[in-house]
Amino acid sequence: NHLDETRINILRINFILSQKLYLNKNRFTIIKKNFLPEHNFITDLNLNQNLISFIEDKSFKCTNNIVYFDLSSNKLRNLTSNTFIGLFRLTDLNLSFNMIEKITGNLFKENMELINLNLSNNLIKAIENNSFLSLNKLRRLFMDNNYPFSNLLIQNGNIFNGLKSLK
C-alpha cells in the first residue's frame, strides 16, 4: 500500500492486509496509541519525511510483525522507554534526521532482534545508562553528525553495554 503525499495530520488506520505500508511524505504530526489495527500483516512500515513530533507510549504494541521501520526525517525530539514496545521482530530502525536529544535507558528493551539502528543527524547530547543493553544482535549503529561526541553526556560510562555484535 502506498499512501505517499496524502494530507493527514494524525495517524490511525483501521484495516490493513498489506505487508508493506508506505506513508512517507505526508503531514503526520502524531502517532496515536495502537494506531494500527490488531492482527495486521505489516512487516515494513515507512513513515519518513512527515512532521511527526510525538509518538504516544505503546503506539506499536499491536504491531509485532514489523521488521523494517523508517521514521527518518521527522521532528521527533523525545522518545520514552515505552515508545517501541511491541516491536519484537524489528531488525532495522531508522531514526535519522530528527531532533532527538537524548537516548533514554531501556529505550530499545523489546527490540532484541535489532540489527541496524540509525541515529545519525540528530541532536543527541545525552545517552542514559543501559540504553542499548538488550541489543545483543545489533551489528550496525550509526550515530554520525550528532552533537560533538566529546561533549556527549554519558551516565556512568555503561552506555554501550550489551553491544556484542557491532561490526
Side-chain angles (χ1 to χ4, degrees):
N1 283 354
H2 285 271
L3 295 174
D4 299 345
E5 298 190 39
T6 59
R7 300 296 178 231
I8 304 169
N9 287 333
I10 297 176
L11 185 57
R12 182 163 171 75
I13 299 170
N14 293 321
F15 182 73
I16 297 175
L17 291 175
S18 178
Q19 284 189 310
K20 298 182 184 206
L21 183 60
Y22 298 93
L23 297 167
N24 48 310
K25 296 183 183 176
N26 286 286
R27 295 183 186 212
F28 300 132
T29 56
I30 296 172
I31 296 179
K32 300 291 257 178
K33 185 176 181 180
N34 298 323
F35 78 100
L36 289 171
E38 287 189 56
H39 312 299
N40 67 69
F41 300 99
I42 297 171
T43 58
D44 294 24
L45 180 58
N46 188 334
L47 293 170
N48 78 322
Q49 296 183 30
N50 279 286
L51 301 170
I52 300 168
S53 61
F54 182 72
I55 300 174
E56 285 186 4
D57 282 352
K58 301 180 182 178
S59 290
F60 310 109
K61 191 169 174 126
C62 298
T63 58
N64 57 7
N65 291 319
I66 293 177
V67 179
Y68 174 83
F69 193 8
D70 189 347
L71 274 165
S72 64
S73 300
N74 278 288
K75 304 220 179 270
L76 290 171
R77 187 175 301 270
N78 299 310
L79 303 172
T80 73
S81 60
N82 291 318
T83 299
F84 299 114
I85 294 285
L87 296 171
F88 302 112
R89 294 187 179 129
L90 189 65
T91 61
D92 291 271
L93 178 59
N94 189 348
L95 295 168
S96 64
F97 293 96
N98 276 286
M99 298 179 200
I100 300 167
E101 295 179 348
K102 180 179 178 182
I103 304 298
T104 58
N106 296 314
L107 176 61
F108 307 107
K109 64 186 170 198
E110 289 196 359
N111 314 123
M112 293 174 272
E113 299 299 317
L114 208 56
I115 294 171
N116 299 305
L117 175 59
N118 192 339
L119 294 166
S120 61
N121 298 289
N122 278 286
L123 304 170
I124 298 172
K125 297 176 186 169
I127 300 175
E128 287 185 359
N129 205 18
N130 297 326
S131 294
F132 306 111
L133 188 61
S134 63
L135 301 182
N136 295 328
K137 295 182 180 180
L138 193 71
R139 298 179 91 189
R140 288 177 211 83
L141 174 62
F142 301 95
M143 292 187 66
D144 49 306
N145 295 317
N146 275 287
Y147 199 70
F149 198 77
S150 59
N151 295 334
L152 187 65
L153 177 61
I154 299 174
Q155 298 180 350
N156 298 331
N158 296 324
I159 60 166
F160 296 115
N161 279 353
L163 297 179
K164 300 174 183 172
S165 300
L166 280 183
K167 297 279 179 181

